Amino acid sequence: MVGIIDEAQLFYPLGTRIKIADNYGTVRYVGEVSGHMGTWLGIEWDDGLRGKHNGIVDGKRYFQTQTPTAGSFIRPGKVGPCATLEDAARERYLNYDSSNVDESLIREAQASLQASLFEVVGMDKIARKQSKFEQLEEVSVDQTPVNAAGYLKELTQLTTLNVSHTLIWNWEIVASIAQQLPSLTVLNLSSNRLVLPTTSQIADLEPSFRQLKRINLRSCGFSDWRDVMQTALLWPDILSLGLQENSFVQLAEVDRKKIFRQLQELDLHRTNIMDFDQVAKLGNLSTLRLLNLMENGIEEIKLPDCDPQEKLNMFVSLEQLNLLHNPIWNEADAFNELDKLPQLKRLSMTPHLKSNFDEMASKAVASIAGLHFINRTEVTAEERRGAEYDIWKKYALDWMQATHQGSDSLREFCRRHRTYPLLVKKYGSPADFVPRIQAKQSNLINVCIRHQLTGETWEKKVPRMITVQTLQGLVMKRFRLAGNVPQLSYIDAKHPDLVVPLDNNAKTLDFYSVQEHDTVLVQ
């Protein structure tokens, strides 16, 4: 019996990954179970509902699981065979079939580039190249029972490797792969459970990873940010790191002398980081250019205070921030906070339920001085002028009141509306505009409607609450226009250099702050 147990322990050291059917698990115990004959493997399943217990059977604890029903015992004989990366790659790529191109690799490449990488017209060529083993530049063996490297030195041109959903379970295996692939720069280890490397292992293994630039550790079971920092010592100069679908909740400041020294991209999509104060702890990542925080349940953006005319000395290189599908409840406050970031140029965000994309984008453009793209849409000069002018008008009265109340009130106003002093410099003092706000007595306003093509004008008294769509109908009848609905914009009588598009048919002229004697342009 001892010999059998020793053999099982030899083949299944604690931490070993196994797969039965479509279920992945980790070996947490090898040995006897009271009341049951023979040797058993205690498994913690990735699917927390797959097991029957938490490692306790008949009152005795054999191992510990993170969830109450993730554990079960199986016989060693039920575990299927494993494979080396070499064997799995040869099996997948040397059996050339133009209808069996590595679709998983294509999907991964498409996702990373966010575009269609391979069209139907080059699929056969790609498949033929994949069938020449030594010429392979990209290999994907996802969802195969790979748990060892094998001989890989023929793959001298390999730059991208996908070993997600395999049975790789420690960094020694990963190092034995990487050290044989001198051209490898992109490594996908998603959905594997890797044993945390020890300090001595890190010293031995770190040289094997120096050629890597991008690592994806999506859904690898991390729950403690300290474990990430410990693992990152293996590749301190990595440029891009994916940690999607690991549950952290809390983060911590990193020692940039040891890790993330050149990190440019960090993906924290769906990691349960709901508190933006936690995100701020990563502010010392001075080389970080892209940060993905999608689907984290973030409700509020809050950064440290700084002078309204200054930027924070944190996230100093961050240009792109993804906040899509977070329930941020106050868009204006969020954008005002994000204006504190010195280099933010691209922002992705989902509108609040009471808002829409156009309203959200207008607030963002006016409130974040350096913003160039919102949800991948480039901000035009005309859109920027319109957004800034709307904000200039909206807070004109508050600005004037704060100015008259003294420096403290003005400082507080500027703290809540960081870009407003810039708008005053750009468009002038709103002092002339404030009386017009206060004098809104009549529901009707006189506007001049001008057809830009013919030069024909029409002086018309219209309700402030008339919608753009209704006004378009009146314009089409008055100028006898047929076919396409005309595009409308307006020029403020006090600031004729500004043209504001009336681009939302459901909004009213009052929403766009159209006033007496303004000119509506018909295009």
Side-chain angles (χ1 to χ4, degrees), residues 21 44 112 135 162 189 196 228 278 340 421 474:
E44 180 179 8
S112 67
Q135 295 182 17
N162 178 6
L189 288 163
L196 192 67
V228 173
Q278 298 298 321
K340 298 175 182 178
L474 295 176

Side-chain angles (χ1 to χ4, degrees), residues 35 45 80 106 114 135 205 258 279 318-319 415 428 481 493 516:
W45 300 101
I106 293 174
Q114 300 176 338
Q135 295 182 17
L205 302 179
K258 296 181 178 180
V279 178
L318 187 66
E319 297 179 358
R415 187 187 66 80
L481 303 177
E516 189 85 4

Side-chain angles (χ1 to χ4, degrees), residues 10 58 139 198 317 326 362 384 483:
L10 177 64
D58 296 331
V139 164
T198 65
S317 298
N326 284 288
S362 181
R384 184 175 300 281

Side-chain angles (χ1 to χ4, degrees), residues 19 24 80-84 88 141 143-148 165-168:
K19 180 183 180 184
Y24 288 83
C82 298
T84 65
V141 292
Q143 302 189 54
T144 62
V146 167
N147 71 347
H165 284 279
T166 60
L167 302 182
I168 294 174

